Amino acid sequence: MDAELLPDDAVVDLQAEFEASHVDEVMAKLDHELVGLKPVKTRIREIAALLLVDRLRRKFGISSDTPTLHMNFTGNPGTGKTTVALRMAEILHRLGYVREGHLVAVTRDDLVGQYVGHTAPKTREVIRRAMGGVLFIDEAYYLYKPENERDYGQESIEILLQCMETNRDDLVVILAGYKDKMDRFFLSNPGMRSRIAHHIDFPDYRPDELESIAELMLAEQNYRLSPSATRALSEYIPLRMSLPHFSNARSIRNALDRARLRQANRLFSQRSRNLTRLDLITIEETDIRGSRIFLEGKLEGEPQEIERV
């Protein structure tokens, strides 16, 4: 049975409603997990405010359609799109717009089949798992491959479009990918664009923000940078940003993983001496400067050039 409606002369405490929803806890988690991204966080707060006001309107019986909440996140890799989608699912659940608030993250391979009759059951199974929460489709533009006449991505798109319309009160779909590729995808699929209410662009991180991200990542794993290692990292980051295949926080995480490997090898080479706790948690300058980016101006893992005779 529906809750009893409030009379027209009743008053509601918006601040109390906000506190009762615990959305502020989700936003605090987002601030802790992600450095920077102020425009993104502002937009998420605006969406949360819209939903909170909409919930109050329903208490008075003020009729309106359920807000369209499907979203498009654009930006380069490693800018926090998946993390924001996860917290968005939590906000939607706390405000009563989805039943469970879980996130199902997929790519084209999870949705599109290899032969006739394979795509529809794959797509519907993913949708079934996502019902009551958020379906996050990364690199969504790969669903559409017009150059391949035998591609089944369009079938998946059509099923998604139908579901986004008929189940929008219990499922939110978030598409994600590079901005230019998503723009082309929407030009080829106007039905999809018409169902997306919120387009949010994730900017690349600045060098100082990436330094802060590195410190957070290390702290989570009980590591610290020595002062000289901190200076070396501040030199490393702009160099890495200037090279191909830069993926923001993802590239920084990879760099720190390699620095930890160098630290372990350095300590192992000194195994004749006793180690302190400080030794075990400290990344030194040599662990950072051992990168090929400093030594050769190349990425780690990039093949060595073969010397020609």
Side-chain angles (χ1 to χ4, degrees):
M1 183 179 294
D2 293 337
E4 186 175 346
L5 298 178
L6 295 173
D8 289 348
D9 59 351
V11 295
V12 290
D13 186 334
L14 184 57
Q15 179 61 28
E17 288 284 335
F18 176 67
E19 291 174 0
S21 71
H22 301 292
V23 167
D24 55 331
E25 296 175 7
V26 184
M27 295 306 303
K29 273 197 280 189
L30 200 57
D31 283 333
H32 174 73
E33 291 168 333
L34 295 176
V35 171
L37 296 181
K38 185 177 179 180
V40 174
K41 293 174 182 176
T42 297
R43 189 65 181 277
I44 298 302
R45 287 189 177 90
E46 290 171 349
I47 294 172
L50 168 69
L51 299 182
L52 190 60
V53 169
D54 181 71
R55 190 165 76 164
L56 292 179
R57 286 167 54 89
R58 283 187 281 158
K59 288 188 175 184
F60 282 96
I62 302 173
S63 62
S64 62
D65 292 336
T66 300
T68 300
L69 296 169
H70 304 308
M71 304 178 192
N72 174 41
F73 290 177
T74 53
N76 291 324
T79 48
K81 296 186 289 296
T82 305
T83 300
V84 172
L86 185 64
R87 297 301 161 223
M88 193 71 240
E90 199 172 343
I91 290 171
L92 292 168
H93 176 56
R94 295 195 180 202
L95 291 175
Y97 284 86
V98 292
R99 287 176 291 114
E100 299 178 24
H102 62 296
L103 179 78
V104 174
V106 299
T107 62
R108 171 192 163 90
D109 289 344
D110 300 294
L111 296 165
V112 181
Q114 302 293 320
Y115 50 83
V116 174
H118 192 203
T119 293
K122 284 189 73 170
T123 300
R124 291 195 175 102
E125 172 58 21
V126 167
I127 290 171
R128 184 195 66 76
R129 289 194 287 118
M131 289 300 295
V134 169
L135 174 59
F136 180 80
I137 307 176
D138 199 14
E139 298 182 315
Y141 38 77
Y142 284 131
L143 289 175
Y144 184 67
K145 294 186 175 181
E147 69 281 1
N148 185 351
E149 294 180 359
R150 302 184 65 181
D151 185 71
Y152 304 111
Q154 187 61 41
E155 182 181 0
S156 182
I157 291 171
E158 290 169 3
I159 295 170
L160 286 166
L161 286 172
Q162 182 180 12
C163 179
M164 289 167 71
E165 186 63 32
T166 58
N167 298 104
R168 64 192 182 114
D169 57 343
D170 198 36
L171 177 69
V172 170
V173 175
I174 299 179
L175 309 180
Y178 291 106
K179 187 175 188 336
D180 56 343
K181 293 184 178 181
M182 288 305 301
D183 287 344
R184 289 196 294 272
F185 173 76
F186 285 128
L187 284 173
S188 302
N189 296 273
M192 187 67 80
R193 175 178 282 280
S194 69
R195 286 166 173 78
I196 300 294
H198 304 282
H199 293 263
I200 303 177
D201 188 46
F202 286 63
D204 286 334
Y205 289 109
R206 302 190 310 266
D208 62 306
E209 291 174 331
L210 291 170
E211 289 181 39
S212 298
I213 287 169
E215 291 173 1
L216 284 172
M217 288 176 174
L218 287 171
E220 286 173 358
Q221 300 182 66
N222 295 304
Y223 283 88
R224 62 182 286 276
L225 293 168
S226 70
S228 58
T230 299
R231 292 190 292 272
L233 184 66
S234 69
E235 294 177 38
Y236 172 92
I237 288 173
L239 293 173
R240 178 63 188 90
M241 293 176 73
S242 68
L243 295 174
H245 312 299
F246 177 67
S247 301
N248 288 278
R250 198 175 303 166
S251 291
I252 298 303
R253 183 179 296 280
N254 291 340
L256 295 177
D257 285 345
R258 290 188 289 269
R260 289 169 55 210
L261 183 65
R262 293 186 203 103
Q263 184 234 31
N265 285 324
R266 174 174 55 79
L267 294 177
F268 188 72
S269 70
Q270 303 167 2
R271 60 188 179 276
S272 59
R273 72 178 181 88
N274 293 327
L275 299 176
T276 66
R277 182 180 186 276
L278 194 60
D279 290 327
L280 294 170
I281 67 171
T282 303
I283 302 293
E284 298 288 358
E285 180 178 6
T286 56
D287 305 325
I288 301 294
R289 292 196 182 276
S291 167
R292 284 183 68 189
I293 287 179
F294 282 116
L295 301 175
E296 304 173 26
K298 296 178 181 179
L299 298 176
E300 313 289 332
E302 205 173 272
Q304 298 273 6
E305 288 186 13
I306 299 174
E307 185 176 349
R308 297 185 182 276
V309 178

